[in-house]
Every structure is written in C-alpha cells, then in structure tokens.
Amino acid sequence: MKYFLLFILLSVINGQDDLLDYFDDDSEAPVPVEAAFKGTRVVNAQSLEIPRPQIFQFMIQHRFGAIENGFYDLFGMDDASIRFDLQYGFTDRLSLGIGRSTLNKTYDLLVKAKLLRQMSGPKGFPVSVLWFSNLGINTQRKAESDPAVKDAFANRLSYAHQFIIGRKFNNILTLEILPTLIHRNLVPTKDDKHDLLSIGVAGRWKLTNRFSINSDYFLPSGKRDGNFQNGWAIGMDIETGGHVFQIMLTNARGSYEGAYIEEATGKLAEGTVYLGFNISRVFSLAGSDSPRW
Amino acid sequence: MKRTTRTWLILVLLPAAIFGKDIFLTRSGSIEFFSSAPVEDIKAINKQVSCVLDMETGELAFQAPIRGFMFKNALMQEHFNENYMESDKFPKAVFKGKIDHWSNTAIADTAIDVSLSGSLTIHGVTRAITETGQIWHEGELIKGTSAFDITVADYDIEIPKVVRNNIAKIVRVDIAVQLKKK
C-alpha cells in the first residue's frame, strides 16, 4: 500500500500537466547561421555573404578623392572612383558577378561560393568557409610605347583567389580571415613578383539591428615596393529594407581585390585617404507576393 | 497470477488509467501570415506548427518555430528573422489556452464555431488573447482552423519609418491543423 501511494504520487509529479511538454524540442537541431554580415562586402573585403538565391544585387562602390585638400575640394568629394557590381545568387551557396571599375578601367568577373557553412548550436560546424575568385581585365588604352600591353591580351589580366574563413560569434560580433593570392600577368618592373600572398582580417560589431561598425585590414606576406601601404578600411553599415548603405574611410582608391589589397598607397598621416560609400540594392526574381493571392 | 505480479500490474496500470489523457496532436500544422501594405503584400507560411488538444479539458497549445516561416523572397526571410522577430533570441511563438465552454462543445462532422482564449507569446512578449476558430471531425482526425489579426506593435516588433509602406502594422494570421490521437 505504501508503494501504491508512492507510485501515485510519482505519477502526479511526472504527469504532463503542461501541454507544451508534448512538443519535442528539436529547435536545437543545427541550422545554417545567417546574416553574419549585412552586405556582401565587409567594407572593402569580401564578407561571408552572397546574394540570396534568385536575387540580383546591384552595388555601387564609390570612393571620393583624397581628403588632403580639406574644404577646397570638400575632402575629396569633387573626385570619384567607382566600381559597379552586379551579382546574382544561383543557389544559397553559389553566386557569380561582374564588376567595372573606374580605376584602370578594369572589368572583373567573379565567383563566390560557400564551401562550408557555420551551423547553429553547440554541435554545429563552427565556421563558414567561402571561396572567392575573380578575373580582372584592364581595358585602358595603352600608348604605342607600352608594347608589352599592346602585344598580348593576356598582359591585361590579373587574378585574385581567396578563402574567406569566418564565424558569427553572436548577434553582435563576426570575424573573418582572408588568405589571399593575387596574380598579375604583367608587373611594372622585373623586380616585382607576379604572385602576391597576403592575409586579411575583417569584422563587424553590430550596434543595433540595422547599424554596425565594420573594418578590414590586409597584411602582405613578402616584400612590396616603396609606395605600398597595407590596405585598410573602416566603415559603418546602415540597412534599410532592400538597401545596405556603407560609409567608410579607406586608404585604397579601387574596389576590386587587386586594387584594395595590393595597390593601396594612402597614408592617414598625410591625408591621402578616401571617404566613400557602398550602396547596394537587391532585386528579387522570385518576386514579391502578388496582390492576387 | 502470483500476488506480487498482480500488485505490480495494478501499480503500473492504475495510475496510467487515472492520469492518462485523451490527447490529440500534430507537428505539421500550418500558419500563414499576410501583411498588406501600400507598396507590397508579404506572405509567409510555416508548416512546422505543433498543436496539442486535451479532449478532456479542452486545453489547447500551439508552438511554431519562427525560423520555419518560409518567404518567397529569401532576403525578406532573413530580415524577418534578423531584424523583426530576432529568432536567435526568441526562437518560437507559443499559444497556450483552452477552448471556451468545452463541456458544452460537441465536435461533429460539420464545423462548429468555438472561442479560444489563452496567452500568446511572440517575440518574448506574452499577451492574453481571445479569438474564434472552427473545429470538426474528419474520420479519425480532428481538424481546426482559426484566423485573426495581430498588431505587430503589441509584441514590441518595431517597424522603421522607411519601410512603413512595405510592412503592415496589423498582419493577418491563418492557422490550420489536423490532429491525430496520440
């Protein structure tokens, strides 16, 4: 009898008093971590994001002139160096794009793919790994005295290859590193190397749901020529619906990889740094929902 | 049967008989929501909705994983989770309540109107609600539907001014479940 009462007591305690207990809690199942960054660029550097499937993203990367002349040219605003970028998300892992820069009248074709995705939860895969490559085509008219370029189209080409390895630590902090190889088919002097290795670090600190502070920095491996400066940028993201607006200060004039990683020359102390902005707009081919549903 | 065995059988079965409940449930119910604003209409559907109904008491509960809402536009879905619902912090929406006047409710082959009351938790905010729904039998199944409006601001979900023409202040929610006996 003693046991009987005890058993009833236990049953009452164990009984599913709360209907919610009937739901298995499988919300812990790992899912891909989304929105590590607002945009596909951190500032200059490639972020862990690509346009979502069936989404066209058009971006204008605008860099003003150097701020060194102060109010005379309103901190460089009379001058502009632009890159247009059109990118399309084919799947949630693959995007292709094309860009065109003022700097050296360079076209670039790019591929950016998510090889591994960070998964949520303690058991999830801890980082995302992306592969980025581009082919740059310098289309500037070259003088007759520049026979190397005139002679072969191949001399106009350059390549960038990157792995982007990063982690969204929480809703606030995302960090990534970018081992980078840049290959130029034609170099200015024979002392210059065709293959340049560097490593980038980049991150964002999200202050509100729609605002974050971002930065990136590239550290070269091996020797560079005298004018070379390590490329850096600091900026902020402002998101409004389908737009991401990024405002920055950087020491690089161009917005393709070869330019902001290997051709940055600006020095903060001398004022040869540039204000700029990226503005992106997305267009969904899937369309928004028609009013007739 | 030996006496001890019989005692054990009673010990095991009796509490089960007393406390076992007549439970109907599903894990694949659907919730659809519609936002209709001047610039665009937005729709999302969630087919991972759990629902449980206690046939003895009329007590009822729903649970929906917020990340289960699927949008046509993937970017909208990301914004929904990141900027509005904050799904990392508030991964699910939960309703817990009862069907009012349960003892007078006779579920039949044809739908009858019922009133549901209880607490709805969205985005970490819990509010008491009373809404109407319909319930009916179909073979072994019990089916239920409900449609009502949710005022987004009631649940501390902020809509910035720049998108106020894109996102409605009040969204319509359609719920449909097919419950099976547990």
Side-chain angles (χ1 to χ4, degrees), chain A residues 198-257:
Chain A
S198 60
I199 188 155
V201 291
R204 73 123 182 226
W205 186 265
K206 199 167 88 167
L207 296 171
T208 74
N209 279 347
R210 294 175 183 80
F211 179 81
S212 70
I213 302 285
N214 299 5
S215 185
D216 55 56
Y217 178 77
F218 283 86
L219 192 67
S221 156
K223 230 173 119 276
R224 302 289 193 272
D225 75 21
N227 285 331
F228 175 87
Q229 293 289 315
N230 298 351
W232 58 263
I234 181 161
M236 57 183 114
D237 278 9
I238 301 159
E239 181 193 49
T240 62
H243 292 283
V244 178
F245 190 59
Q246 302 178 296
I247 307 170
M248 77 280 294
L249 189 68
T250 173
N251 71 337
R253 195 86 167 92
S255 299
Y256 56 92
E257 282 56 40

Side-chain angles (χ1 to χ4, degrees), chain A residues 4 7 11-12 16 18-19 22-23 25 35 38 52 168 171 209-210 239 241 282 284 289 291 293, chain B residues 11 14-15 19 21 23 27 34 41 43 50 59-60 63 75 78-79 82-84 88 92 96 160:
Chain A
F4 184 72
F7 202 87
S11 304
V12 172
Q16 286 173 307
D18 194 332
L19 286 179
Y22 285 99
F23 303 140
D25 235 342
K38 295 273 185 214
R52 306 299 302 262
K168 182 180 185 182
N171 259 333
N209 279 347
R210 294 175 183 80
E239 181 193 49
V282 294
S284 174
D289 297 297
W293 42 256
Chain B
L11 288 185
L14 196 67
F19 297 100
K21 289 176 173 174
I23 293 293
R27 296 178 211 290
F34 308 103
D41 291 331
K43 175 171 90 165
S50 298
E59 284 178 306
L60 182 73
Q63 176 176 296
L75 191 71
E78 182 180 313
H79 289 164
E82 287 292 312
N83 298 349
Y84 297 96
D88 288 343
K92 47 197 162 193
K96 199 167 168 300

Side-chain angles (χ1 to χ4, degrees), chain A:
Chain A
M1 199 56 202
K2 208 163 55 180
Y3 293 109
F4 184 72
L5 286 175
L6 187 68
F7 202 87
I8 289 189
L9 193 68
L10 284 174
S11 304
V12 172
I13 293 167
N14 289 332
Q16 286 173 307
D17 295 330
D18 194 332
L19 286 179
L20 296 180
D21 294 342
Y22 285 99
F23 303 140
D24 305 337
D25 235 342
D26 56 357
S27 57
E28 298 303 309
V31 292
V33 170
E34 295 190 322
F37 291 93
K38 295 273 185 214
T40 55
R41 298 283 191 135
V42 180
V43 185
N44 281 328
Q46 296 289 341
S47 80
L48 296 168
E49 301 299 328
I50 60 175
R52 306 299 302 262
Q54 289 192 287
I55 285 184
F56 261 113
Q57 176 187 273
F58 180 64
M59 178 161 58
I60 297 168
Q61 299 175 286
H62 188 123
R63 304 293 177 268
F64 294 106
I67 63 171
E68 59 187 342
N69 298 321
F71 278 102
Y72 177 67
D73 59 1
L74 199 59
F75 300 92
M77 298 218 182
D78 293 348
D79 226 353
S81 171
I82 290 177
R83 179 173 176 277
F84 296 117
D85 177 289
L86 186 65
Q87 210 173 331
Y88 181 70
F90 286 88
T91 71
D92 50 11
R93 287 174 179 268
L94 174 70
S95 71
L96 298 179
I98 181 166
R100 200 275 183 188
S101 301
T102 308
L103 192 72
N104 298 327
K105 303 194 190 305
T106 298
Y107 287 83
D108 59 90
L109 302 170
L110 65 93
V111 52
K112 190 173 176 185
K114 293 190 177 185
L115 304 179
L116 297 168
R117 290 186 292 184
Q118 184 187 342
M119 303 296 277
S120 67
K123 287 178 197 150
F125 194 71
V127 294
S128 288
V129 178
L130 282 82
W131 160 54
F132 172 87
S133 280
N134 80 8
L135 163 67
I137 309 161
N138 175 329
T139 65
Q140 280 200 113
R141 288 192 187 125
K142 298 285 168 141
E144 291 298 325
S145 59
D146 200 352
V149 175
K150 290 296 276 186
D151 290 349
F153 176 73
N155 287 338
R156 296 177 173 274
L157 304 183
S158 62
Y159 305 85
H161 306 289
Q162 262 178 343
F163 284 114
I164 310 160
I165 304 155
R167 175 172 168 81
K168 182 180 185 182
F169 287 91
N170 49 45
N171 259 333
I172 297 170
L173 180 69
T174 304
L175 291 175
E176 60 174 37
I177 57 172
L178 307 97
T180 304
L181 169 68
I182 290 184
H183 176 90
R184 295 177 292 183
N185 276 359
L186 182 69
V187 291
T189 71
K190 66 178 199 250
D191 293 335
D192 290 305
K193 284 186 290 186
H194 288 276
D195 291 306
L196 299 163
L197 279 171
S198 60
I199 188 155
V201 291
R204 73 123 182 226
W205 186 265
K206 199 167 88 167
L207 296 171
T208 74
N209 279 347
R210 294 175 183 80
F211 179 81
S212 70
I213 302 285
N214 299 5
S215 185
D216 55 56
Y217 178 77
F218 283 86
L219 192 67
S221 156
K223 230 173 119 276
R224 302 289 193 272
D225 75 21
N227 285 331
F228 175 87
Q229 293 289 315
N230 298 351
W232 58 263
I234 181 161
M236 57 183 114
D237 278 9
I238 301 159
E239 181 193 49
T240 62
H243 292 283
V244 178
F245 190 59
Q246 302 178 296
I247 307 170
M248 77 280 294
L249 189 68
T250 173
N251 71 337
R253 195 86 167 92
S255 299
Y256 56 92
E257 282 56 40
Y260 67 81
I261 297 171
E262 295 298 343
E263 292 169 17
T265 55
K267 292 181 188 162
L268 186 60
E270 294 174 8
T272 49
V273 292
Y274 311 94
L275 289 168
F277 62 84
N278 297 341
I279 186 161
S280 74
R281 172 74 203 175
V282 294
F283 303 93
S284 174
L285 286 198
S288 66
D289 297 297
S290 99
R292 289 181 298 280
W293 42 256

Side-chain angles (χ1 to χ4, degrees), chain B residues 39-53:
Chain B
V39 173
E40 61 189 340
D41 291 331
I42 299 168
K43 175 171 90 165
I45 185 157
N46 189 334
K47 291 186 172 167
Q48 305 168 34
V49 179
S50 298
C51 175
V52 56
L53 170 65

